[in-house]
Amino acid sequence: MSTLFNISLSPHSHSQETTKKLMFGVVIALLPALFTSIFYFGYGALIVTSVSVISCLVFEYLIQRFLLKKPVSVTDGSALVTGLLLAFNVPSNLPVHIIIIGSLVSIGIAKMTFGGLGNNPFNPALVGRVFMLISFPVQMTSWPVPAGFNTGYTDAVTGATPLAIVKEGLKNGEPLSDLITQIPTPSQMFLGNMGGSLGEIAAIALLIGFVYLLMRKIITWHIPVSIIATIGIFTTILWLANPAKNADPMFHILAGGVLLGAVFMATDYVTSPMNPKAQIIYGIGIGILTVVIRVWGAYPEGVSFAILIMNAFVPLMNRYIKPGRFGEEVKNG
Amino acid sequence: MKTFQKGGIHPPENKLTAAKQTEVLPLPVSVAIPVSQHIGAPATVIVNKGDSVKTGQVIAGSKGFVSVNIHSSVSGKVNKIDSIVDTTGYKQTAVFIDVEGDEWVDSVDRSDDIITDIKLSSEEIISRCQESGIVGLGGATFPSHVKLSVPSGKRCDLLIINGVECEPYLTADHRLMLEKGKEILVGISILMKALKIKRAQVGIENNKTDAIVHLKKLAASFEGIEICPLRVKYPQGAEKQLIKALTGREVPSGRLPIDVNVVVHNAGTAFAVYEAVQKNKPLIERVVTITGKTLANPGNYLVRIGTPVSLLIEKAGGLPDDTGKIISGGPMMGKALINTDIPVVKGMSGIILFPSSESDRMPSQPCIRCAKCVSVCPLGLEPYLLMLLAQKGLFEKAEEERITDCMECGSCSYTCPAGRPLLDYIRLGKSTVIKMARERVVK
Ligand code: SF4
Ligand code: SF4
């Protein structure tokens, strides 16, 4: 009896999956979209992303170290993901000081005041984005047109996004058939050749990221698929009811932030529901709210607001929507 | 291929000893045989210090219905009746015997002949199981005769034989099915006779294709026994999950398999029943897998009950220097042993040695609400929530959230990327809730 053995309780094995590995998995899944963004927006994409990531990491470190005097967990990768997503949700010509303010709101207010990772009710990157949208509406809605490295950073040539063109046009009574000719074709949109937030433009890149996330089992299909399907079905109904006034479902899914939102923002672990049933309801809610805001609301885009609104219902859903228990009812097969 | 639907995980299989023929472990110099190797009342010691005993002789008698006899696994002299630390880490009474030769009681048929003709009646089989000390050998060690005695008002229409062995590393049942297939099938026929039913299904996971093929061939000459391959998924060896996988029936929360007209026995138990009924041989030895990545010579051994674990380790190449943990059972549900003097008991299916690098848990971090624990729980519970409730002492709420359903399979803790000790807290909550419920009944 010379050796002392470890006598911890079962289980004695672990999957070796860690928070850090999951977060870096998300980072990898975001890379295709980041590369397409750099391809289309050049220096702007690089500068905005770097500033956002660095300031999120620095704010997390400073707050944990000096304000909260808690162990610093900045290496867990969650602030890195927030930084990337924050950059993905803004135009590539956004001035540095606004990005820094947005990062401070994301990390300092949306995440740390609630107790840090795991405790924040609202998606930090989206809180940062909405804060910037309200505080700096002009800068947050000027969208550089894709021109690769031929364009500058804050002096990039800007134009309206497809969603804005359609929304404004319809408001002014222009026929939809005319408006369609002013926006990129579906295949251009699919490849990301359109104005918009830094990371939302290329459907193909986001879908590659989605497949990676599914394969690595970082997320499940429930939230993204229910959001996209709901938007698809809802806009199909509107389109069939009045094709002259309502854009087709393809347009709604490809133009704007639906894919970025559905795959990367709404699936944020901390702020989404804890079981498949609730996740599907959450996804349907986001889908419906997105279309309502886009078609009847004041903004051309509604994904961010839809996700934040549904974030608010997550605690309630976790409380009342329970996973199907084994042996709940007597089933005889 | 069939499996259960809800939750489950796929830990690395690590079945290092799957191809290792079972060897007979040499007799130890002395054995320590605990009187409580089963769920239920410990048996009462009926021998005294200095008594000579034979192999197979009863040394402790069953006390009440939920209890079984304990037999001497060796011949020799009772050295003392004292306490010993067992697998649970607690001290309990054991009979210490110094081995002298190997003289068996006369009633045991020690020949190798396989007897297929079942002479005993249903009632005789059931009492023979209790007399022979037969308990569930999958690890739960519930007395088998209790499961065979179907309570009045309940009906059984199917016997399920658990040959799943879903825990990583373990191969004892696998080897037994390959080497003693025919005996197991006779054992199954005996169990069917005891239950007075005509149908049995043997569930075997598809990582044991050789055993599936072998038993399928043999089963052709037995009536009513079906061999069913299952898709590999942990914890398919859990009764409720196995029943679900094979029949689609769901045992309701807080109820037993018999409530869905099923009785489940382990493949190893079927073999023990064969030996008890056809050969009159009590349960005095079992197959134990001794394994581990750092072990020189992992293998499967037929071991007498009461043999110290150290002998088994010695036979397998000796204790590697950097051993950090010794596990009795599987890595998912097994118990860590505090020393190697602990005796082999009826419920011990394997001994696994972990190097120190794999022995420590990762540090616990904040819950990131990834819902992975929820998605792997085979019972549809919310482990993150149950842990939180147990931590905060909100036991009434934990009871509402069905904490007592938890079967402690460990899938949640295994999966949690934040390394949270979910099951530790769930156990705490569960035992508190069970205590509360008992007090309610008393009042
Ligand atoms: S240990 Fe309990 S709570 Fe955890 S997965 Fe298994 S049954 Fe579910
Ligand atoms: S698996 Fe761990 S981190 Fe994920 S929700 Fe469960 S307890 Fe939290």
Side-chain angles (χ1 to χ4, degrees):
Chain A
M1 273 235 38
S2 51
T3 1
L4 276 181
F5 298 115
N6 185 324
I7 49 163
S8 57
L9 294 169
S10 68
H12 306 288
S13 294
H14 189 266
S15 60
Q16 302 301 316
E17 189 69 273
T18 61
T19 303
K20 202 178 198 160
K21 284 190 200 164
L22 291 172
M23 291 299 166
F24 281 94
V26 177
V27 171
I28 292 172
L30 285 167
L31 290 180
L34 180 61
F35 292 144
T36 32
S37 188
I38 294 170
F39 176 77
Y40 286 119
F41 295 130
Y43 300 108
L46 271 175
I47 296 169
V48 170
T49 310
S50 317
V51 171
S52 172
V53 166
I54 293 170
S55 45
C56 279
L57 290 171
V58 168
F59 284 131
E60 174 139 319
Y61 175 81
L62 293 177
I63 292 171
Q64 285 184 327
R65 178 79 206 277
F66 297 106
L67 219 58
L68 304 174
K69 303 201 166 57
K70 284 207 308 194
V72 176
S73 60
V74 71
T75 54
D76 67 15
S78 65
L80 175 60
V81 171
T82 304
L84 280 172
L85 288 176
L86 185 69
F88 273 33
N89 276 285
V90 299
S92 61
N93 62 350
L94 196 65
V96 169
H97 69 277
I98 301 182
I99 308 170
I100 295 180
I101 294 172
S103 306
L104 182 60
V105 172
S106 288
I107 297 291
I109 296 177
K111 185 173 175 188
M112 288 305 166
T113 50
F114 291 100
L117 180 63
N119 298 306
N120 46 298
F122 297 102
N123 186 318
L126 286 182
V127 172
R129 173 183 187 259
V130 167
F131 179 84
M132 290 187 281
L133 184 63
I134 294 166
S135 316
F136 309 97
V138 179
Q139 292 91 328
M140 281 292 288
T141 52
S142 86
W143 311 98
V145 290
F149 284 93
N150 300 325
T151 178
Y153 165 40
T154 44
D155 52 353
V157 184
T158 59
T161 62
L163 278 174
I165 293 172
V166 170
K167 180 116 191 169
E168 278 306 302
L170 287 174
K171 208 157 69 185
N172 299 335
E174 293 174 49
L176 190 62
S177 47
D178 282 4
L179 297 169
I180 293 290
T181 60
Q182 298 169 33
I183 61 170
T185 62
S187 63
Q188 279 175 320
M189 290 197 279
F190 190 70
L191 293 172
N193 193 0
M194 63 176 172
S197 294
L198 195 152
E200 76 184 14
I201 49 171
I204 172 86
L206 295 164
L207 289 176
I208 291 171
F210 182 34
V211 170
Y212 178 78
L213 291 178
L214 289 179
M215 273 171 24
R216 278 274 325 266
K217 298 209 164 81
I218 293 172
I219 61 167
T220 59
W221 59 268
H222 302 87
I223 295 173
V225 170
S226 56
I227 292 177
I228 297 166
T230 305
I231 292 180
I233 294 168
F234 195 0
T235 53
T236 305
I237 295 171
L238 295 176
W239 178 55
L240 291 177
N242 190 353
K245 276 259 166 240
N246 294 309
D248 60 283
M250 205 55 168
F251 169 83
H252 273 287
I253 291 170
L254 292 179
V258 170
L259 288 172
L260 177 64
V263 177
F264 290 99
M265 314 299 298
T267 54
D268 170 47
Y269 286 150
V270 183
T271 56
S272 61
M274 298 294 283
N275 68 73
K277 238 190 285 179
Q279 286 169 350
I280 288 176
I281 296 173
Y282 169 80
I284 293 174
I286 292 173
I288 292 176
L289 285 172
T290 300
V291 178
V292 167
I293 295 170
R294 278 187 180 181
V295 176
W296 293 287
Y299 287 98
E301 176 58 300
V303 179
S304 304
F305 290 109
I307 295 173
L308 285 172
I309 293 169
M310 289 310 289
N311 280 170
F313 288 101
V314 167
L316 216 60
M317 293 205 269
N318 283 337
R319 186 159 194 153
Y320 293 107
I321 306 170
K322 291 293 167 185
R325 312 277 202 214
F326 184 95
E328 189 76 279
E329 62 236 72
V330 186
K331 278 187 206 149
N332 271 326
Chain B
M1 203 167 295
K2 288 177 175 177
T3 187
F4 61 98
Q5 288 80 36
K6 205 184 288 298
I9 55 172
H10 298 93
E13 290 173 20
N14 285 318
K15 304 268 191 187
L16 314 174
T17 52
K20 296 271 176 81
Q21 185 86 22
T22 307
E23 288 174 49
V24 179
L25 192 78
L27 288 179
V29 269
S30 65
V31 292
I33 304 175
V35 294
S36 175
Q37 299 182 40
H38 48 260
I39 290 178
T44 323
V45 181
I46 55 169
V47 289
N48 294 306
K49 182 177 164 160
D51 284 1
S52 287
V53 291
K54 287 183 179 176
T55 309
Q57 182 181 330
V58 178
I59 51 172
S62 61
K63 202 169 133 199
F65 180 59
V66 187
S67 180
V68 294
N69 282 347
I70 302 278
H71 304 77
S72 178
S73 60
V74 293
S75 63
K77 238 187 201 81
V78 178
N79 175 306
K80 59 177 175 178
I81 291 153
D82 200 354
S83 63
I84 189 168
V85 175
D86 71 359
T87 14
T88 59
Y90 291 105
K91 281 186 174 176
Q92 65 142 311
T93 308
V95 179
F96 291 69
I97 303 168
D98 290 333
V99 180
E100 294 163 5
D102 192 21
E103 200 185 322
W104 288 59
V105 290
D106 300 330
S107 49
V108 179
D109 169 6
R110 296 189 66 203
S111 70
D112 280 336
D113 311 337
I114 299 177
I115 306 165
T116 48
D117 198 25
I118 305 162
K119 294 211 182 67
L120 265 50
S121 72
S122 171
E123 289 69 32
E124 285 166 337
I125 294 170
I126 294 173
S127 53
R128 176 67 65 83
C129 285
Q130 185 172 19
E131 287 157 20
S132 305
I134 310 294
V135 299
L137 295 184
T141 66
F142 193 73
S144 301
H145 68 275
V146 181
K147 281 203 211 168
L148 290 175
S149 318
V150 178
S152 62
K154 310 251 165 162
R155 189 175 60 84
C156 170
D157 62 17
L158 176 68
L159 167 68
I160 288 179
I161 297 298
N162 188 345
V164 172
E165 208 162 44
C166 60
E167 280 267 16
Y169 287 97
L170 303 183
T171 57
D173 286 348
H174 182 187
R175 288 315 305 178
L176 205 61
M177 288 189 286
L178 278 176
E179 295 166 23
K180 303 285 179 194
K182 191 151 181 210
E183 288 90 334
I184 290 177
L185 290 171
V186 177
I188 295 170
S189 308
I190 296 170
L191 292 169
M192 284 156 71
K193 184 167 182 188
L195 290 164
K196 302 188 178 107
I197 56 167
K198 297 262 169 279
R199 245 181 97 220
Q201 289 186 323
V202 186
I204 306 175
E205 281 192 343
N206 204 30
N207 53 2
K208 295 179 266 290
T209 34
D210 48 356
I212 295 171
V213 172
H214 180 61
L215 287 185
K216 266 198 175 149
K217 217 180 314 154
L218 292 176
S221 48
F222 286 83
E223 215 157 301
I225 303 179
E226 190 190 345
I227 311 297
C228 308
L230 295 166
R231 202 162 79 212
V232 178
K233 185 153 92 170
Y234 178 87
Q236 194 144 242
E239 274 188 346
K240 289 184 175 185
Q241 272 54 44
L242 181 59
I243 295 171
K244 176 77 183 173
L246 286 172
T247 67
R249 301 179 200 175
E250 244 176 54
V251 180
S253 156
R255 308 288 285 280
L256 294 169
I258 193 67
D259 293 306
V260 293
N261 310 332
V262 176
V263 169
V264 183
H265 282 283
N266 178 266
T269 313
F271 177 69
V273 167
Y274 163 81
E275 291 202 313
V277 173
Q278 303 297 76
K279 304 284 211 173
N280 207 4
K281 180 182 158 192
L283 183 52
I284 56 152
E285 55 187 3
R286 67 157 298 149
V287 180
V288 181
T289 302
I290 165 83
T291 180
K293 287 179 201 151
T294 51
L295 203 58
N297 217 344
N300 303 292
Y301 289 94
L302 186 65
V303 189
R304 298 285 173 93
I305 302 298
T307 304
V309 165
S310 55
L311 187 67
L312 201 55
I313 297 175
E314 220 171 90
K315 186 75 189 163
L319 193 71
D321 281 341
D322 70 331
T323 303
K325 200 186 246 184
I326 303 174
I327 300 160
S328 159
M332 293 303 299
M333 293 183 80
K335 295 208 161 67
L337 303 181
I338 58 170
N339 64 43
T340 59
D341 302 333
I342 288 171
V344 169
V345 288
K346 292 177 181 176
M348 192 184 279
S349 44
I351 294 288
I352 308 170
L353 306 185
F354 270 12
S356 31
S357 58
E358 283 178 43
S359 300
D360 296 338
R361 291 178 173 181
M362 63 185 265
S364 170
Q365 291 165 339
C367 171
I368 54 170
R369 308 180 65 81
C370 65
K372 285 180 186 291
C373 52
V374 180
S375 70
V376 299
C377 179
L379 296 173
L381 305 175
E382 294 166 285
Y384 79 97
L385 180 65
L386 297 178
M387 170 170 172
L388 200 75
L389 295 173
Q391 256 176 334
K392 288 190 176 163
L394 299 171
F395 298 112
E396 281 89 8
K397 189 85 185 53
E399 188 175 9
E400 277 167 41
E401 296 288 350
R402 308 257 291 255
I403 197 168
T404 50
D405 278 9
C406 169
M407 58 160 148
E408 308 188 13
C409 71
S411 301
C412 49
S413 299
Y414 173 87
T415 307
C416 176
R420 294 176 74 71
L422 293 161
L423 182 51
D424 293 3
Y425 281 96
I426 294 173
R427 278 198 193 95
L428 167 78
K430 202 177 139 181
S431 55
T432 314
V433 168
I434 291 172
K435 211 187 298 157
M436 275 170 21
R438 277 213 198 102
E439 279 162 14
R440 260 201 314 262
V441 173
V442 172
K443 273 180 212 156

Short mmCIF file of all heavy atoms in Angstrom, two decimals, chain A residues 23-36 80-82 84-85 88 199 205-206 209 212-213 260 264:
data_model
loop_
_atom_site.label_atom_id
_atom_site.label_comp_id
_atom_site.label_asym_id
_atom_site.label_seq_id
_atom_site.Cartn_x
_atom_site.Cartn_y
_atom_site.Cartn_z
N MET A 23 -14.63 26.38 -29.27
CA MET A 23 -14.56 27.78 -29.71
C MET A 23 -13.64 27.91 -30.92
O MET A 23 -13.95 28.64 -31.87
CB MET A 23 -14.05 28.67 -28.57
CG MET A 23 -15.03 28.80 -27.42
SD MET A 23 -16.60 29.54 -27.94
CE MET A 23 -17.62 29.18 -26.54
N PHE A 24 -12.51 27.21 -30.88
CA PHE A 24 -11.62 27.30 -32.04
C PHE A 24 -12.24 26.60 -33.25
O PHE A 24 -11.96 26.99 -34.39
CB PHE A 24 -10.22 26.80 -31.70
CG PHE A 24 -9.43 27.83 -30.94
CD1 PHE A 24 -9.39 27.82 -29.56
CD2 PHE A 24 -8.78 28.86 -31.61
CE1 PHE A 24 -8.71 28.80 -28.84
CE2 PHE A 24 -8.09 29.85 -30.91
CZ PHE A 24 -8.06 29.81 -29.52
N GLY A 25 -13.09 25.62 -33.00
CA GLY A 25 -13.84 25.01 -34.10
C GLY A 25 -14.73 26.03 -34.78
O GLY A 25 -14.84 26.08 -36.01
N VAL A 26 -15.39 26.86 -33.96
CA VAL A 26 -16.23 27.91 -34.53
C VAL A 26 -15.37 28.88 -35.35
O VAL A 26 -15.75 29.31 -36.44
CB VAL A 26 -17.00 28.67 -33.43
CG1 VAL A 26 -17.82 29.81 -34.01
CG2 VAL A 26 -17.90 27.72 -32.64
N VAL A 27 -14.19 29.20 -34.80
CA VAL A 27 -13.29 30.12 -35.53
C VAL A 27 -12.95 29.52 -36.91
O VAL A 27 -13.01 30.22 -37.93
CB VAL A 27 -12.01 30.39 -34.71
CG1 VAL A 27 -11.00 31.16 -35.55
CG2 VAL A 27 -12.35 31.16 -33.44
N ILE A 28 -12.63 28.24 -36.92
CA ILE A 28 -12.30 27.59 -38.20
C ILE A 28 -13.49 27.67 -39.16
O ILE A 28 -13.35 27.97 -40.34
CB ILE A 28 -11.89 26.12 -37.97
CG1 ILE A 28 -10.54 26.08 -37.23
CG2 ILE A 28 -11.79 25.35 -39.29
CD1 ILE A 28 -10.13 24.69 -36.78
N ALA A 29 -14.68 27.44 -38.62
CA ALA A 29 -15.88 27.48 -39.46
C ALA A 29 -16.13 28.88 -40.01
O ALA A 29 -16.78 29.05 -41.05
CB ALA A 29 -17.09 27.01 -38.66
N LEU A 30 -15.61 29.91 -39.32
CA LEU A 30 -15.81 31.29 -39.78
C LEU A 30 -14.79 31.69 -40.85
O LEU A 30 -14.98 32.69 -41.55
CB LEU A 30 -15.72 32.25 -38.60
CG LEU A 30 -16.92 32.28 -37.65
CD1 LEU A 30 -16.57 33.03 -36.37
CD2 LEU A 30 -18.13 32.92 -38.31
N LEU A 31 -13.71 30.92 -40.97
CA LEU A 31 -12.64 31.33 -41.87
C LEU A 31 -13.06 31.47 -43.34
O LEU A 31 -12.69 32.46 -43.99
CB LEU A 31 -11.43 30.40 -41.74
CG LEU A 31 -10.66 30.52 -40.41
CD1 LEU A 31 -9.48 29.56 -40.38
CD2 LEU A 31 -10.20 31.96 -40.18
N PRO A 32 -13.83 30.51 -43.91
CA PRO A 32 -14.21 30.69 -45.32
C PRO A 32 -14.90 32.03 -45.56
O PRO A 32 -14.61 32.73 -46.54
CB PRO A 32 -15.17 29.53 -45.58
CG PRO A 32 -14.83 28.50 -44.57
CD PRO A 32 -14.33 29.25 -43.36
N ALA A 33 -15.80 32.39 -44.63
CA ALA A 33 -16.51 33.66 -44.79
C ALA A 33 -15.54 34.84 -44.65
O ALA A 33 -15.66 35.85 -45.35
CB ALA A 33 -17.63 33.77 -43.75
N LEU A 34 -14.57 34.69 -43.76
CA LEU A 34 -13.59 35.77 -43.58
C LEU A 34 -12.77 35.95 -44.87
O LEU A 34 -12.54 37.07 -45.33
CB LEU A 34 -12.67 35.45 -42.39
CG LEU A 34 -11.60 36.51 -42.10
CD1 LEU A 34 -12.23 37.86 -41.75
CD2 LEU A 34 -10.70 36.06 -40.95
N PHE A 35 -12.36 34.84 -45.45
CA PHE A 35 -11.56 34.93 -46.67
C PHE A 35 -12.35 35.54 -47.82
O PHE A 35 -11.85 36.41 -48.54
CB PHE A 35 -11.02 33.55 -47.08
CG PHE A 35 -10.00 33.01 -46.11
CD1 PHE A 35 -9.93 31.65 -45.82
CD2 PHE A 35 -9.10 33.87 -45.47
CE1 PHE A 35 -9.00 31.16 -44.91
CE2 PHE A 35 -8.17 33.39 -44.57
CZ PHE A 35 -8.12 32.03 -44.28
N THR A 36 -13.61 35.14 -48.00
CA THR A 36 -14.40 35.76 -49.08
C THR A 36 -14.57 37.24 -48.82
O THR A 36 -14.53 38.06 -49.74
CB THR A 36 -15.80 35.13 -49.22
OG1 THR A 36 -16.25 34.72 -47.95
CG2 THR A 36 -15.82 33.98 -50.19
N LEU A 80 -12.60 35.63 -28.69
CA LEU A 80 -12.15 35.62 -30.08
C LEU A 80 -13.36 35.44 -31.02
O LEU A 80 -13.49 36.14 -32.03
CB LEU A 80 -11.15 34.47 -30.26
CG LEU A 80 -10.62 34.16 -31.64
CD1 LEU A 80 -9.91 35.37 -32.23
CD2 LEU A 80 -9.66 32.97 -31.58
N VAL A 81 -14.24 34.51 -30.66
CA VAL A 81 -15.44 34.29 -31.47
C VAL A 81 -16.31 35.54 -31.48
O VAL A 81 -16.79 35.98 -32.53
CB VAL A 81 -16.23 33.07 -30.94
CG1 VAL A 81 -17.58 32.96 -31.64
CG2 VAL A 81 -15.43 31.79 -31.16
N THR A 82 -16.49 36.13 -30.31
CA THR A 82 -17.30 37.36 -30.24
C THR A 82 -16.70 38.45 -31.13
O THR A 82 -17.42 39.13 -31.88
CB THR A 82 -17.39 37.87 -28.79
OG1 THR A 82 -17.92 36.83 -27.97
CG2 THR A 82 -18.28 39.09 -28.68
N LEU A 84 -14.79 38.13 -33.78
CA LEU A 84 -15.01 37.82 -35.20
C LEU A 84 -16.46 38.09 -35.61
O LEU A 84 -16.73 38.72 -36.64
CB LEU A 84 -14.67 36.35 -35.47
CG LEU A 84 -13.19 36.01 -35.64
CD1 LEU A 84 -13.01 34.50 -35.70
CD2 LEU A 84 -12.64 36.65 -36.91
N LEU A 85 -17.38 37.64 -34.79
CA LEU A 85 -18.79 37.80 -35.14
C LEU A 85 -19.21 39.28 -35.14
O LEU A 85 -20.01 39.70 -35.97
CB LEU A 85 -19.68 37.00 -34.19
CG LEU A 85 -19.62 35.48 -34.39
CD1 LEU A 85 -20.46 34.77 -33.35
CD2 LEU A 85 -20.09 35.10 -35.80
N PHE A 88 -18.10 40.60 -38.32
CA PHE A 88 -18.91 40.05 -39.41
C PHE A 88 -20.24 40.78 -39.56
O PHE A 88 -20.88 40.70 -40.60
CB PHE A 88 -19.19 38.56 -39.15
CG PHE A 88 -18.12 37.66 -39.68
CD1 PHE A 88 -16.79 38.06 -39.71
CD2 PHE A 88 -18.43 36.40 -40.16
CE1 PHE A 88 -15.80 37.23 -40.21
CE2 PHE A 88 -17.45 35.56 -40.66
CZ PHE A 88 -16.13 35.97 -40.68
N GLY A 199 -19.30 39.89 -42.95
CA GLY A 199 -19.28 38.43 -42.99
C GLY A 199 -20.52 37.78 -43.53
O GLY A 199 -20.62 36.56 -43.56
N ALA A 205 -19.73 30.40 -48.56
CA ALA A 205 -18.74 30.29 -47.48
C ALA A 205 -19.40 29.96 -46.15
O ALA A 205 -18.89 29.15 -45.37
CB ALA A 205 -17.96 31.60 -47.37
N LEU A 206 -20.56 30.55 -45.90
CA LEU A 206 -21.26 30.29 -44.65
C LEU A 206 -21.76 28.85 -44.59
O LEU A 206 -21.74 28.21 -43.55
CB LEU A 206 -22.42 31.28 -44.48
CG LEU A 206 -21.97 32.74 -44.33
CD1 LEU A 206 -23.13 33.69 -44.55
CD2 LEU A 206 -21.36 32.96 -42.94
N GLY A 209 -19.00 26.60 -43.71
CA GLY A 209 -18.82 26.66 -42.25
C GLY A 209 -19.87 25.85 -41.52
O GLY A 209 -19.57 25.14 -40.56
N TYR A 212 -19.08 22.22 -41.67
CA TYR A 212 -17.99 21.92 -40.75
C TYR A 212 -18.50 21.83 -39.30
O TYR A 212 -18.16 20.90 -38.56
CB TYR A 212 -16.89 22.98 -40.87
CG TYR A 212 -15.74 22.77 -39.92
CD1 TYR A 212 -14.78 21.81 -40.19
CD2 TYR A 212 -15.65 23.50 -38.74
CE1 TYR A 212 -13.73 21.59 -39.31
CE2 TYR A 212 -14.61 23.29 -37.85
CZ TYR A 212 -13.65 22.34 -38.14
OH TYR A 212 -12.62 22.12 -37.26
N LEU A 213 -19.33 22.78 -38.92
CA LEU A 213 -19.86 22.78 -37.55
C LEU A 213 -20.66 21.51 -37.27
O LEU A 213 -20.60 20.94 -36.19
CB LEU A 213 -20.75 24.00 -37.31
CG LEU A 213 -20.07 25.36 -37.26
CD1 LEU A 213 -21.10 26.46 -37.07
CD2 LEU A 213 -19.05 25.41 -36.11
N LEU A 260 -25.75 33.99 -41.99
CA LEU A 260 -24.83 34.30 -40.89
C LEU A 260 -25.57 34.19 -39.55
O LEU A 260 -25.08 33.60 -38.59
CB LEU A 260 -24.26 35.72 -41.05
CG LEU A 260 -23.33 36.19 -39.93
CD1 LEU A 260 -22.07 35.35 -39.86
CD2 LEU A 260 -22.97 37.66 -40.08
N PHE A 264 -24.46 31.08 -37.32
CA PHE A 264 -23.45 31.48 -36.33
C PHE A 264 -23.98 32.31 -35.17
O PHE A 264 -23.41 32.25 -34.08
CB PHE A 264 -22.32 32.25 -37.03
CG PHE A 264 -21.48 31.37 -37.91
CD1 PHE A 264 -21.68 31.33 -39.28
CD2 PHE A 264 -20.49 30.56 -37.36
CE1 PHE A 264 -20.91 30.52 -40.09
CE2 PHE A 264 -19.71 29.74 -38.16
CZ PHE A 264 -19.92 29.73 -39.53
#
